Amino acid sequence: MIGCTGILVCALNPSLTAMLAERVESVGSAQSSRDGQSGGLGGLFRDGDGQSDSTVPGEGQPGINADWLEGQSGYEQPDSPSVEAPEDVSGRTGYEPVQEEAQEIDEDEAGGLTGAENPGDTGSGLSFDAETYPYYAMLEAEMQQIYSQIYANAMSLTPSFTPVATVSVSQLKTVFEAVYNDHPELFWLDTGYSCKYLRSGRCAEITLKFNETADALEQARLAFQGAAGNIVAQARGLGSQAEMEKYVHDALMGLVEYDVAAPMNQSAYSALVGGRSVCAGYARAFQYIMQELGVPCYYCTGYAGEDHAWNIVKIDGVYRNVDVTWDDTEEPTYNYFNKTDRELAATHRRTGLSVYLPACEGAGTQTPAAPEGGEAGTSEDGEIPGSAENPGGEDADGADDISGLINPNPIQPLEWESKKKEEPVDPLQAAEDRKRESLEKAGVTEEQVRDTMQEYYEDCRRLLKDAGTGDRQFVNVIPQSLWGSVERAYNSGDYRKGYVDSALKDMGASSFAIQLQVQDLGGGYYRLYHNVYTY
């Protein structure tokens, strides 16, 4: 009778029903955190084969925007729940999922926390483009506020802070994973964090964890940007997105050695600066460089015999999977370069938030010539499409692939014209020539280009002091690859420590304002106009 009465009351009072449901969910989230499991819908679990699984695509994890999910073309998980790594790449994994530490506290303890009533940098002025940062885009509006706050405090190395919006334990894990997956430039941010929460399940304090590079971050940034900038500068001169992607893929295979014992191996820093990493480091380095080149590239996590990470990249409007780690074998290959989901169905399965990334569909792309010492990629049955063994290039569904034919629509006979054989053009030399011509046209010498953040800061410090107080302007030139680092420095305020504070001290000035304007000189160079006012 009591139960029936309760049901009747809830039926006549929907607001009470919603309140009770919210209470049950929050307590459930807190309980699952105490049990060491991720709470809410879509929490990771282990199936009978011991492999990570996740929410079925289309269903929401805590903190995911349900309306956003409806507009996505969904990734379809492989029909077979079991995926295996081929023998030649078995064990080349090493991705570590995000780890949380959750501790329940009471209201009195919450008032005495280090981060109590201290949100640190709220990140309220930040914005994140949906195509570049898809994990941000998939969050609910309030969770996006927490995302911006975590990003801003990671940038400023603020470890503990109070959430700016109400967030449960299970939602926080979703948000932290989104920040971590979107931003490979935060190489000092560790894969773990801790949260203190109240009995209701609401987080009272968030604490970030940083790796050893945070102890000397400015030097680490210079090393990181320098290593990445060398690849970016070479790739940018190649022109097309496809050429840039291939260059970066090959450059990382030449630079990085797979090593499960590499320090900080979940970061892009381990790959680009240390030269040794696991799949996570390869994938985050590839993601960072492609982002710097203006090409959408995402960090994709899942299962490939073990927990694994690779990339999804958008080349000329088409999404494809790229697994640099598995291509970087003893004999380099393109076996896992620009593949559809169907082509990788037997070896790769997405888990976690990555199931919400764009599907990689459509016709496969042409496999490039093999890297030096390697072999060209093959199809899953071992045949090269369009080869003598498979002359029609027929795909797995039986449809003829005519993309490789010289004249697929023979309305008219082909006309052949004999041409004198020309000397092959070195694309890297051609890029260098274009750069030199652009600098000459702008009246700039190569010696005047500031290639690193340290050189840029030193030049700005000198020019600001020479300009003196009042309404002034100074100008310098940087490679386009350095612009992302400069922009982040001004957005985060790091530029003040980089050159402003010391210059103002030497000038005897106390106030400073700046407006930065950027001119594209072509050839991969930017001219920066610094309109400053000091007094």
Side-chain angles (χ1 to χ4, degrees):
M1 289 176 65
I2 293 173
C4 291
T5 301
I7 293 172
L8 181 60
V9 170
C10 289
L12 296 175
N13 192 342
S15 62
L16 176 61
T17 305
M19 182 183 70
L20 289 173
E22 182 178 357
R23 175 67 177 172
V24 169
E25 180 183 2
S26 64
V27 172
S29 298
Q31 179 63 46
S32 47
S33 295
R34 288 192 294 269
D35 295 340
Q37 301 171 354
S38 58
L41 294 174
L44 296 177
F45 63 90
R46 298 282 172 179
D47 63 21
D49 295 330
Q51 53 185 328
S52 299
D53 209 337
S54 70
T55 307
V56 175
E59 296 181 359
Q61 290 188 217
I64 297 295
N65 187 334
D67 293 335
W68 179 86
L69 283 180
E70 290 181 2
Q72 303 308 303
S73 63
Y75 160 74
E76 295 184 6
Q77 289 197 0
D79 294 334
S80 172
S82 176
V83 294
E84 297 181 0
E87 186 176 348
D88 62 331
V89 294
S90 180
R92 296 181 68 83
T93 51
Y95 158 69
E96 296 177 4
V98 167
Q99 299 295 320
E100 66 173 355
E101 294 177 6
Q103 177 188 355
E104 182 180 339
I105 60 174
D106 58 32
E107 294 285 353
D108 292 338
E109 289 178 279
L113 292 173
T114 304
E117 304 304 323
N118 175 23
D121 189 337
T122 64
S124 58
L126 298 175
S127 62
F128 299 94
D129 175 70
E131 185 170 56
T132 306
Y133 305 106
Y135 291 100
Y136 172 84
M138 65 179 67
L139 298 176
E140 297 171 343
E142 284 197 344
M143 298 305 103
Q144 289 180 343
Q145 295 178 41
I146 303 294
Y147 175 110
S148 297
Q149 184 187 21
I150 291 175
Y151 175 83
N153 283 307
M155 288 293 291
S156 62
L157 295 180
T158 302
S160 298
F161 48 90
T162 304
V164 292
T166 300
V167 58
S168 69
V169 176
S170 53
Q171 288 172 328
L172 178 59
K173 186 168 186 180
T174 297
V175 177
F176 183 88
E177 185 177 339
V179 175
Y180 190 84
N181 288 0
D182 269 341
H183 295 282
E185 73 275 14
L186 297 176
F187 57 81
W188 57 93
L189 182 63
D190 223 335
T191 54
Y193 68 95
S194 63
C195 164
K196 293 182 179 178
Y197 65 93
L198 302 174
R199 183 171 295 276
S200 64
R202 177 177 65 84
C203 289
E205 182 186 66
I206 302 169
T207 299
L208 305 179
K209 298 180 181 181
F210 307 119
N211 62 36
E212 62 191 59
T213 60
D215 297 334
L217 186 54
E218 188 57 33
Q219 293 89 329
R221 274 178 170 158
L222 291 174
F224 179 78
Q225 292 160 359
N230 290 335
I231 299 176
V232 171
Q234 296 296 326
R236 197 182 298 280
L238 298 178
S240 73
Q241 290 186 342
E243 290 175 306
M244 291 192 294
E245 179 202 21
K246 180 178 178 294
Y247 180 87
V248 174
H249 172 272
D250 293 356
L252 288 177
M253 289 199 298
L255 174 66
V256 188
E257 178 183 354
Y258 183 87
D259 183 356
V260 72
M264 299 177 291
N265 61 23
Q266 299 301 294
S267 70
Y269 187 92
S270 65
L272 291 172
V273 180
R276 297 181 294 127
S277 193
V278 296
C279 62
Y282 276 90
R284 290 175 71 77
F286 186 77
Q287 176 191 15
Y288 176 77
I289 294 174
M290 296 306 293
Q291 284 180 347
E292 290 291 290
L293 291 168
V295 178
C297 184
Y298 312 140
Y299 185 63
C300 183
T301 61
Y303 188 81
E306 297 178 60
D307 289 329
H308 189 46
W310 64 98
N311 296 101
I312 291 175
V313 62
K314 187 179 183 181
I315 299 296
D316 297 326
V318 179
Y319 291 103
R320 289 288 178 264
N321 293 284
V322 177
D323 191 337
V324 184
T325 313
W326 280 18
D327 278 342
D328 188 22
T329 52
E330 185 174 349
E331 296 291 337
T333 74
Y334 290 107
N335 290 340
Y336 304 94
F337 181 73
N338 284 355
K339 300 300 182 181
T340 65
D341 292 331
R342 182 172 60 83
E343 288 173 317
L344 292 189
T347 56
H348 294 65
R349 183 173 66 168
R350 303 187 203 175
T351 61
L353 298 184
S354 295
V355 300
Y356 306 129
L357 293 176
C360 300
E361 302 172 323
T365 54
Q366 185 175 0
T367 302
E372 185 176 349
E375 299 176 355
T378 61
S379 63
E380 293 177 10
D381 60 2
E383 296 178 349
I384 300 175
S387 66
E389 293 80 9
N390 186 20
E394 188 172 278
D395 64 21
D397 297 328
D400 289 336
D401 178 8
I402 61 174
S403 60
L405 298 181
I406 295 175
N407 189 25
N409 299 301
I411 298 175
Q412 297 178 349
L414 289 173
E415 297 179 0
W416 296 89
E417 180 180 352
S418 177
K419 295 183 179 180
K420 182 180 178 181
K421 185 176 180 181
E422 300 177 354
E423 291 294 325
V425 177
D426 182 351
L428 296 181
Q429 183 59 49
E432 289 299 322
D433 292 342
R434 287 195 296 271
K435 290 180 181 180
R436 188 165 49 254
E437 291 172 4
S438 298
L439 289 178
E440 290 175 356
K441 188 180 296 184
V444 178
T445 66
E446 292 187 13
E447 290 73 21
Q448 293 173 300
V449 177
R450 306 309 168 205
D451 293 304
T452 66
M453 286 299 293
Q454 184 174 359
E455 290 181 7
Y456 169 74
Y457 283 150
E458 290 175 354
D459 196 40
C460 287
R461 185 183 302 112
R462 177 181 61 80
L463 293 172
L464 179 57
K465 289 167 59 177
D466 291 346
T469 58
D471 191 357
R472 299 286 187 266
Q473 181 188 79
F474 63 87
V475 182
N476 50 30
V477 177
I478 63 171
Q480 193 172 353
S481 59
L482 192 62
W483 168 244
S485 301
V486 172
E487 186 177 29
R488 283 192 292 273
Y490 282 92
N491 285 335
S492 66
D494 284 351
Y495 74 101
R496 296 192 65 91
K497 185 168 56 177
Y499 73 91
V500 174
D501 291 344
S502 60
L504 294 184
K505 183 178 179 180
D506 292 342
M507 296 165 64
S510 58
S511 297
F512 176 83
I514 184 169
Q515 181 188 52
L516 196 62
Q517 295 175 304
V518 185
Q519 178 189 17
D520 189 349
L521 299 178
Y525 293 100
Y526 283 170
R527 195 195 318 260
L528 306 185
Y529 293 90
H530 305 72
N531 304 300
V532 300
Y533 183 74
T534 57
Y535 63 92

